[in-house]
Amino acid sequence: MKKVLIIGIGAGNPDYVTMQAVKALNEVDVFFFLDKGEAKEDLVNLRTTICERFIKDRSYRTVEVESPQRDASTPDYKSGVHAWHRDKADIFSKLIGDELRDGEVGAFLVWGDPSLYDSTIRVIQQIVAERRVAFDYDVIPGITSVQALAAQHRIALNAIGEPVHITTGRKLTEGLPPGVDTAVIMLDNGSGLRALAGEDVDIYWGAYLGTADEVLVAGKLGDRVEEIEQLRARDRERKGWIMDTYLLRRSPANDRS
Ligand SMILES: C[S@@+](CC[C@H](N)C(=O)[O-])C[C@H]1O[C@@H](n2cnc3c(N)ncnc32)[C@H](O)[C@@H]1O
């Protein structure tokens, strides 16, 4: 039987790789690397560093393919995502079918943790459900950008006994849902941040967390929003891509914590 490992490698710092991930990396015969647009070089570097640093006395193959891009012109966001996952399922099943021999272990290295805003698990489940190729699979957790953000700002995510809402910049443009005092926002192109700028909330923002380019800003959102927008624009220009995550907390929730 073939085996596929979906390994979370942490959100940027090779030191985020867990002992479980190191063990898993040392079982892999073939790494499937999907190259993603702008962040390509940094992603390739991180994956290469991780393999070189943590894999000992073992030879492995790597297979690189271009990751399909989501068609942003599809009017309905969810059907666009479904079509994108279908394209990925075609590529993944070909990789597992053609590049992995019976009894071998293949792996997808996932930025951060595979459970959070990542399609790998869903795509693999789709292939299994459609019985396209026979294989078994396991998931190895990784340190998410949310955990990296909280650690770098030295904060707890939740106020005492309260929930934390994790969402996207796209969703935040509709405002924070009623009753939500603490939210973590990912995948924001800047529109979510701007939408909340008039509200009385604290922000803990981080870009390129865990990497040499890391930037952190904290304070009242209204006081900090322009500085963050300038940093985003500067770094996007300098590096060609940006990855940022932030926590917003309504002020009264702060008092309760
Ligand atoms: C496709 S999601 C992947 C999330 C990832 N699976 C995780 O566990 O963090 C990409 C988003 O994660 C966040 N992100 C990932 N790595 C980050 C980092 N090193 N610094 C800041 N934000 C990061 C950003 O919000 C980015 O838009």
Side-chain angles (χ1 to χ4, degrees), residues 149 155 157 164-165 172 176 180-185 192-193 196-197 201-205 219 221 246-251 253-254:
L149 177 79
I155 55 168
L157 284 178
V164 178
H165 183 73
L172 192 67
L176 283 177
V180 168
D181 288 331
T182 302
V184 176
I185 290 79
L193 189 65
L196 273 250
V201 287
D202 293 326
I203 184 166
Y204 297 88
W205 178 83
L221 177 60
Y246 51 95
L247 180 138
L248 296 176
R249 205 182 320 266
R250 288 192 205 277
S251 301
N254 258 351

Side-chain angles (χ1 to χ4, degrees), residues 53-163:
R53 180 162 150 191
F54 296 114
I55 300 175
K56 301 288 178 218
D57 306 323
R58 183 178 174 90
S59 62
Y60 53 86
R61 313 192 291 282
T62 57
V63 181
E64 285 188 37
V65 289
E66 203 65 41
S67 179
Q69 300 293 309
R70 182 172 64 82
D71 181 359
S73 66
T74 311
D76 176 45
Y77 175 74
K78 285 207 170 148
S79 60
V81 170
H82 285 307
W84 179 39
H85 286 180
R86 178 140 294 283
D87 291 345
K88 279 196 172 181
D90 290 343
I91 292 173
F92 283 23
S93 44
K94 203 163 158 33
L95 287 173
I96 299 165
D98 297 352
E99 304 286 350
L100 203 58
R101 292 191 277 265
D102 199 29
E104 283 191 327
V105 178
F108 294 92
L109 302 188
V110 174
W111 188 270
D113 182 78
S115 69
L116 191 64
Y117 292 112
D118 185 88
S119 59
T120 313
I121 292 178
R122 258 186 275 273
V123 170
I124 290 290
Q125 284 173 341
Q126 187 173 329
I127 298 169
V128 170
E130 291 171 356
R131 296 172 194 265
R132 294 205 210 175
V133 203
F135 66 95
D136 193 9
Y137 71 97
D138 274 329
V139 177
I140 318 294
I143 292 183
T144 68
S145 50
V146 179
Q147 291 161 288
L149 177 79
Q152 296 306 79
H153 279 289
R154 301 181 295 177
I155 55 168
L157 284 178
N158 62 294
I160 295 172
E162 297 294 335

Side-chain angles (χ1 to χ4, degrees), residues 148-149 152-153 205-207 209 214-218 227 231:
L149 177 79
Q152 296 306 79
H153 279 289
W205 178 83
L209 290 157
E214 179 177 281
V215 203
L216 302 172
V217 174
E227 178 188 353
L231 287 169

Side-chain angles (χ1 to χ4, degrees), residues 7-28:
I7 306 176
I9 55 169
N13 185 340
D15 285 353
Y16 291 162
V17 173
T18 67
M19 294 305 291
Q20 188 188 10
V22 171
K23 238 168 116 184
L25 288 167
N26 281 279
E27 290 169 12
V28 176

